[in-house]
Each structure stands twice: as structure tokens, then as C-alpha cells.
């Protein structure tokens, strides 16, 4: 870790400070998947994602600094307006691991309030949006207590801290497309934090992602456990090599507006992720019969009509249906008429690419 990430002490002349900060931070969907990690939340291969618009977490942190120091963070935590012990425990452990990055945590009482825009029990993972919202709040408090950072420094530290909370969360700090992880594509990218992808063809600028809820049941194997199983997966090294190449190829498709190669790579990635689960030791399957029905219908519809509509999958059974703005009407009609029948209670969450986190001010309106 460089000194840059180490936090500054609160200046001794600073009197007790009371305040609040808030951030709305989105979830993101990976097109090149992060699957396998080592050390302190470092990825085995680079990943590429885009931030969503409608699926987000809003976190508000009320803070009050005090004269004496503790060796752990002091925390009250409310989720959707109610105390939540399970989440509090996870956040307490996370904050206690961050004392070197945010020394102010030793002498500040925090009351954290968090809500998600997407309903419970939809099988949508919230760690990317929630961990990035919290990291952004911590960086804002540090800035208020110890002095301003440039926007770039702020985003880099927020992404770095988000990564420590949940790997994929580091990609939620930026709007649009971003890359996390060392890659031969460009030496500016690093395993430590994510950064935006600059060159995106207009065809991908307003991409949609409708999440079809095939099953809202809790996953039998968590992502964290899944990452661990990569350590003994016989195909792991080939997979990491392949992900590196696919990321380079996908970046070209994104720059050139080549939607056919985009779709081919994205779908291969989704199926590779699940193939890796199926050949782990022990093996496991997170797809459901409905997942395969939806995938097969998407492919047939695309071949039959030429509509550019593709799928990707997270570590779960729900299908993310991707299509450009120009295909919106046909794609949404097809989803309504042919795909929702495979979803739990016909549920979907319609989303699209977003512009990244927004700071909450006055706690009555949001600003970018
Ligand atoms: C399949 O970021 O949830 O969604 O770092 O253990 O919190 P932890 O894992 P997490 O893994 C996400 C895996 C994925 C692919 C991706 O988002 O790149």
C-alpha cells in the first residue's frame, strides 16, 4: 500500500465536529467477470463492467468526533429504517479493518442509515452498491475532517476502499464502463482500484440491462466461497489467461461499435463463469431450468430476427438481458411476451447504464 491510501490524522486543533454525509451509489454488471482472488481482495484477472442506473444503495453517515480514541470503530447501523444486527456485524468488521486508512474512525461515533432501491429477495446482490456507498461516505468524512482531495484522488481512494469491502464494489465508483485489474491493454489499470474506459462507441452508450428474476432464493454458494473454490479449480490458470485476452478484445468491440463481437464475448463470459462453478471441487450449479430456457430463447430470437439482444449472468440464476437503445421496443416486447413467463411471479427489474454515484446534499435532494 502506498502512503496515498493511508489516512491523515484529524488535526489536533480541530474541535469536536458533528456532521453528516450521504451518497447514492449504483450496482454494476460485469461483462468480463472477476472470479478468483488472492491476498487482500486482489483479483486474479482484470474485469470490465458498467454501472447501473436504477439499482442503487443510499447511505447516510452521521458522525461526531470526540477527544478520546478507541481501538475500534463506534457504530449504530440502520437498514431500511430499522436496526439490522447481521449487516451491522459485517460493517463493524469492515470498519475495524480500515483504521489505517481512516484514523478518524478511532475517535468518531458513526450512525449509518442505508436503503436499497431494489426490493429484497430479488436475488440481486447489493454488496457492490452498499460497499461503494459506504466507502464514498468515509472518504467524504475524511475530506471534511482533514482537508480537501482532488476529485481524482477522492475517486481513487473511494474505489480502493470499496474493493476492500467487496471486490466488484470498486467498479461502482465510476459511471459508464470501467476496468479493474492489471491488464496489458494499458499500464494505467491496476489491481488496487478501478478506472473508467474512455473510448466507447455511441451504440453502447445507452445500453439496457433488464434483470429477469428467475429465482429470488438465496444462493446455495456465496460469491466469496465461489472465489475461494477457484484456488483448486484445475482450469483456473487457463481461465485467467483467457479473461485477460477477452478483456482486450471486448475493449476493441466497445471502441469500434462491433455489437456482434461484443455479444459473443459477453455471452461466452457468462457461460464460462457458470462452467467454472460446475467444475469446482465440490461442483455446484446456480443456474435454474428457467435460466436455460431464457438463454435459449434469446439466442433463437436473435438468430431469427437479427435483433441485437444478448445475455449475461451474475453468480446466480437471474438473467441480465442486454440490448442497445435502438433495439428497445423489440427487446422489451420480446421480454414481455416470451421471457417473463420463466420469471418468479413474472418479475423483472428494468435498468440501464448509469452515470455513477451521486452525492446526497441537504438530505432532501441529490447532486452529481
Ligand atoms: C460473479 O465482488 O461479490 O459478480 O470480493 O468476495 O465480495 P467479493 O466478491 P464479489 O464477486 C463478484 C463476482 C461476480 C463477477 C463480477 O462482478 O465481476
Amino acid at each position: 500500500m502506498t502512503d496515498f491510501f493511508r489516512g491523515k490524522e484529524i488535526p489536533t486543533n480541530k474541535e469536536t465536529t458533528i456532521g453528516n454525509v450521504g451518497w447514492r451509489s449504483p450496482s454494476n454488471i460485469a461483462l468480463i467477470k472477476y472470479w478468483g482472488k488472492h491476498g487482500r481482495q486482489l483479483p486474479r484477472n482484470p474485469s470490465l463492467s458498467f454501472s447501473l442506473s436504477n439499482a442503487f444503495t443510499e447511505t447516510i453517515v452521521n458522525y461526531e468526533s470526540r477527544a478520546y480514541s478507541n481501538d475500534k470503530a463506534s457504530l449504530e447501523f440502520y437498514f431500511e429504517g430499522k436496526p439490522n444486527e447481521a449487516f451491522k456485524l459485517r460493517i463493524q468488521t469492515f470498519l475495524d479493518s480500515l483504521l489505517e486508512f481512516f484514523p478518524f474512525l478511532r475517535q468518531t461515533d458513526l450512525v449509518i442509515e442505508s436503503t436499497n432501491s431494489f426490493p429484497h429477495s430479488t436475488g440481486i446482490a447489493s454488496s457492490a452498491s452498499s460497499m461503494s456507498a459506504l466507502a464514498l461516505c468515509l472518504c467524504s468524512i475524511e475530506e471534511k475532517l482533514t482537508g480537501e482531495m482532488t476529485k481524482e484522488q477522492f475517486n481513487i481512494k473511494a474505489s480502493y476502499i470499496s474493493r476492500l469491502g467487496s471486490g466488484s464494489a470498486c467498479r461502482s465508483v465510476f459511471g459508464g464502463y470501467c476496468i479493474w485489474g492489471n491488464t496489458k491493454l494499458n499500464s494505467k489499470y491496476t489491481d488496487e482500484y478501478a478506472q473508467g474506459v474512455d473510448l466507447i462507441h455511441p451504440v453502447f452508450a445507452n445500453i439496457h440491462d433488464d434483470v429477469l428474476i428467475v429465482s429470488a432464493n438465496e444462493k446455495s454458494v456465496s460469491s466469496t466461497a465461489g472465489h475461494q473454490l477457484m484456488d483448486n479449480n484445475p482450469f483456473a490458470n487457463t481461465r485467467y489467461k483467457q479473461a485477460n485476452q477477452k478483456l482486450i478484445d471486448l475493449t476493441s468491440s466497445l471502441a469500434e461499435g462491433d455489437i456482434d463481437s461484443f455479444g459473443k464475448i459477453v455471452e461466452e463470459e457468462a457461460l464460462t463463469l457458470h462452467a467454472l462453478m460446475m467444475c469446482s471441487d465440490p461442483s455446484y450449479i446456480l443456474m435454474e431450468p428457467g435460466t436455460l430456457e431464457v438463454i435459449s430463447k434469446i439466442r433463437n430470437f436473435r438468430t431469427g430476427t437479427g435483433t441485437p439482444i444478448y445475455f449475461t449472468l451474475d453468480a446466480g440464476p437471474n438473467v441480465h438481458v442486454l440490448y442497445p437503445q435502438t433495439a428497445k421496443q423489440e427487446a422489451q416486447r420480446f421480454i414481455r411476451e416470451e421471457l417473463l413467463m420463466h420469471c418468479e411471479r413474472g418479475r423483472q427489474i428494468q435498468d440501464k447504464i448509469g452515470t455513477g454515484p451521486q452525492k446526497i446534499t441537504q438530505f432532501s435532494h441529490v447532486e452529481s
Side-chain angles (χ1 to χ4, degrees), residues 107-240:
Q107 52 186 116
T108 308
D109 295 322
L110 304 178
V111 179
I112 303 181
E113 299 161 53
S114 203
T115 52
N116 286 345
S117 65
F118 42 98
H120 275 316
S121 68
T122 46
I124 305 289
S126 61
S127 65
S129 55
S130 60
M131 285 299 170
S132 55
L134 178 58
L136 286 156
C137 288
L138 294 173
C139 288
S140 285
I141 299 175
E142 175 173 58
E143 194 172 38
K144 284 196 175 192
L145 295 178
T146 68
E148 272 195 22
M149 303 181 224
T150 65
K151 190 163 186 218
E152 195 191 355
Q153 287 173 330
F154 183 92
N155 285 343
I156 286 177
K157 181 154 182 179
S159 178
Y160 182 100
I161 298 296
S162 303
R163 185 198 98 222
L164 299 179
S166 176
S168 54
C170 74
R171 299 185 310 237
S172 280
V173 171
F174 304 91
Y177 293 83
C178 77
I179 288 178
W180 166 41
N182 296 334
T183 157
K184 288 203 175 104
L185 181 71
N186 188 322
S187 58
K188 76 173 181 178
Y189 292 112
T190 155
D191 284 353
E192 301 206 316
Y193 50 86
Q195 290 167 85
V197 182
D198 303 327
L199 211 57
I200 299 292
H201 188 278
V203 73
F204 298 115
N206 287 309
I207 191 163
H208 287 252
D209 175 8
D210 293 345
V211 190
L212 304 192
I213 313 300
V214 171
S215 166
N217 292 342
E218 201 164 316
K219 289 186 282 189
S220 54
V221 180
S222 71
S223 284
T224 303
H227 285 292
Q228 263 168 25
L229 288 172
M230 281 302 282
D231 291 348
N232 292 320
N233 189 305
F235 303 105
N237 287 333
T238 313
R239 156 64 192 162
Y240 301 141

Side-chain angles (χ1 to χ4, degrees), residues 10-11 20 45 47 54 76 91 149 160 186 190 193 223 228 269 273 278:
I10 302 178
N20 41 27
N45 65 260
S47 54
N54 299 333
E76 268 179 58
I91 288 170
M149 303 181 224
Y160 182 100
N186 188 322
T190 155
Y193 50 86
S223 284
Q228 263 168 25
E269 270 293 295
L273 172 70
M278 289 194 252

Side-chain angles (χ1 to χ4, degrees), residues 51-101:
S51 287
L52 295 174
S53 187
N54 299 333
F56 57 79
T57 297
E58 278 187 358
T59 296
I60 291 169
V61 182
N62 304 285
Y63 62 92
E64 181 169 359
S65 64
R66 48 180 146 70
Y68 64 91
S69 264
N70 274 339
D71 55 3
K72 59 206 296 275
S74 147
L75 169 69
E76 268 179 58
F77 182 78
Y78 298 87
F79 182 66
E80 320 254 284
K82 296 195 194 96
N84 184 312
E85 278 309 306
F87 288 175
K88 181 186 166 175
L89 212 64
R90 180 164 179 202
I91 288 170
Q92 179 79 52
T93 310
F94 179 48
L95 293 177
D96 291 345
S97 75
L98 295 180
L99 300 180
E100 62 188 312
F101 306 106

